[in-house]
Amino acid sequence: MPEGDTVWNTARVLQRALAGARLTGSDFRVPQLAATDLTGWTVRESTSRGKHLLLRLTAPPDAAGRDWTLHSHLRMDGAWRAYGPGERWAARPAHLIRVVLRSPGAVAVGYHLHELALIPTAEEESLVGHLGPDLLGPDWDPDEAVRRLATHPDETIGEALLDQRNLAGVGNLYKCEVLFLRGVSPWTPVRAVPDLAGTVTLAQRLLAANRGRWTQSTTGSLHRGQTNYVYGRRAQPCRRCGTAIRKEELGERVTYWCPACQPDR
Ligand SMILES: [Zn+2]
């Protein structure tokens, strides 16, 4: 599931493949950018903000001659892959390709991307300015995340953690896992969560621990089937107490939790 750590990793893949390179071709397969050609543009850097990817580019001097950002969002199913020249694009079916960026040393292919847009870098804030502190960003600020969460006292903590305006980077997997580890029911109102600072700090630690790898482990184990406490484990025994893990809708998402370890619904 693409969450803050996956997006951070993806930004790094694009950084290694394209940073400093002059593009030798581009192929956009989305209507809004079908006429766009980035040939001759230079990739300045690739970075992430929460779950948003920002590929910063410089247009050639004879064009607009300014700084641009190619924005994309992975949501549930998007991905970027980098391939060597001549390497087979094997990651996903071709009909999911939304953009191809070619450089002398690598080809970057974006699959099933959302919100693909080319905007002046100076206007990035219009797309990401609403986000709360980024758990994996240089601006991570747990106090500000707690302050923003606390402005929604009656909302459930399960929904508030997913609201990227409070803090940016937590998706459904980390939400479920953090609340299990804190012993807090996802239905607890924000005002009744005993230690919001401890909760956001743990979320940050879990995401940070998974930087640089694609397996999202919250248990410390990288073995298949043992990487999570509750997420995706409906009806399986809780790793702590043996109670069957439950799954139920909460807001627009499903949530997983242990009714014994996370009481007080
Ligand atoms: Zn339990």
Side-chain angles (χ1 to χ4, degrees):
M1 165 117 1
E3 302 194 20
D5 55 338
T6 309
V7 177
W8 190 94
N9 287 340
T10 301
R12 198 168 66 155
V13 166
L14 292 177
Q15 172 77 10
R16 284 177 175 165
L18 295 179
R22 196 156 175 202
L23 297 180
T24 53
S26 71
D27 176 10
F28 285 94
R29 303 182 188 177
V30 291
Q32 72 272 25
L33 291 172
T36 301
D37 181 5
L38 301 182
T39 302
W41 291 46
T42 303
V43 178
R44 295 200 311 281
E45 63 176 338
S46 163
T47 189
S48 62
R49 182 86 189 272
K51 297 196 269 184
H52 298 250
L53 278 160
L54 304 169
L55 189 68
R56 294 177 178 143
L57 304 146
T58 302
D62 58 329
R66 50 195 287 206
D67 295 337
W68 292 81
T69 297
L70 182 64
H71 169 271
S72 58
H73 198 289
L74 304 182
R75 288 206 200 145
M76 313 282 276
D77 50 5
W80 279 93
R81 292 287 184 273
Y83 301 103
E87 190 183 340
R88 204 170 142 251
W89 304 351
R92 303 267 181 104
H95 73 269
L96 295 178
I97 294 174
R98 298 293 179 265
V99 58
V100 179
L101 301 177
R102 298 173 187 278
S103 76
V107 183
V109 181
Y111 298 92
H112 216 165
L113 301 173
H114 304 268
E115 301 172 38
L116 198 57
L118 187 65
I119 58 162
T121 297
E123 293 173 20
E124 273 183 9
E125 287 298 298
S126 68
L127 291 177
V128 297
H130 66 288
L131 297 173
D134 180 355
L135 286 111
L136 298 181
D139 65 334
W140 170 236
D141 180 348
D143 294 339
E144 175 64 11
V146 168
R147 191 192 67 75
R148 290 183 180 223
L149 284 168
T151 61
H152 306 278
D154 299 327
E155 211 167 285
T156 66
I157 186 65
E159 290 170 289
L161 284 177
L162 289 179
D163 186 339
Q164 305 294 301
R165 293 169 297 186
N166 293 332
L167 66 174
V170 172
N172 209 22
L173 182 149
Y174 286 105
K175 173 206 82 181
C176 295
E177 297 292 297
V178 165
L179 293 178
F180 171 82
L181 286 164
R182 300 293 306 177
V184 171
S185 158
W187 280 267
T188 309
V190 169
R191 62 180 143 72
V193 174
D195 182 1
L196 280 177
T199 304
V200 302
T201 298
L202 178 61
Q204 198 278 338
R205 269 183 27 219
L206 290 177
L207 262 81
N210 287 313
R211 275 183 302 200
R213 66 182 181 217
W214 298 99
T215 302
Q216 295 170 309
S217 173
T218 53
T219 58
S221 171
L222 296 177
H223 294 290
R224 197 181 166 84
Q226 295 174 27
T227 52
N228 305 137
Y229 286 103
V230 291
Y231 183 81
R233 298 191 64 241
R234 183 173 75 88
Q236 295 181 48
C238 172
R239 297 192 195 282
R240 276 195 181 151
C241 74
T243 303
I245 299 300
R246 295 182 62 182
K247 172 187 176 186
E248 208 171 296
E249 282 181 19
L250 168 59
E252 294 174 354
R253 308 290 293 276
V254 296
T255 200
Y256 297 86
W257 82 106
C258 171
C261 294
Q262 300 163 266
D264 84 25
R265 261 193 84 179

